[in-house]
Amino acid sequence: MEFTVGKGVRQGDLLSPFLFVIAMEALNDVMVKACNLGIFRGIHTPNMGLIISHLFYVDDTLFVGEWSRINLINLARILRCFHLVSNLMVNFSKSKVYRIGVATSDVESFSQILIASLRIYL
């Protein structure tokens, strides 16, 4: 049976965190597959251990990855597909790009690439 949702839940609604977890399960599956296929490159832990590409906490998402233009563009593509499926999108006013060992000018230019890539689609 199919049904359409006409309205979302209000902020603070008790159902909201549960719905977020369900949506993030789908994004988790997509990110795991993207990493396995080499579409997105996460951070390798020492001694060929875990590869960390994303973390979820409460209602926040953190993407961690190799600092490259193609990685950033692929992340934008993944987020675009996720938006099309779930109708959830990035809130740019609450988003930040951090770097370790990268020039500030590179952070600003990569941030603009990500924002431009997502706005083209959205």
Side-chain angles (χ1 to χ4, degrees), residues 84-103:
L84 290 173
V85 171
S86 68
N87 205 27
L88 298 173
M89 64 177 98
V90 175
N91 184 341
F92 290 109
S93 65
K94 293 183 178 181
S95 300
K96 296 188 183 337
V97 175
Y98 294 101
R99 50 76 169 133
I100 297 174
V102 176

Side-chain angles (χ1 to χ4, degrees), residues 1-13:
M1 174 190 246
E2 289 187 32
F3 59 94
T4 57
V5 178
K7 296 202 177 216
V9 294
R10 292 183 183 193
Q11 188 169 355
D13 189 301

Side-chain angles (χ1 to χ4, degrees), residues 9 57 63 73 79 81-83 86 90 97:
V9 294
Y57 181 75
F63 294 100
I73 291 169
L79 292 174
C81 291
F82 181 69
H83 165 70
S86 68
V90 175
V97 175

Side-chain angles (χ1 to χ4, degrees), residues 16-30:
S16 184
F18 180 68
L19 294 174
F20 181 80
V21 168
I22 292 172
M24 291 303 103
E25 272 299 314
L27 183 57
N28 177 62
D29 290 345
V30 169

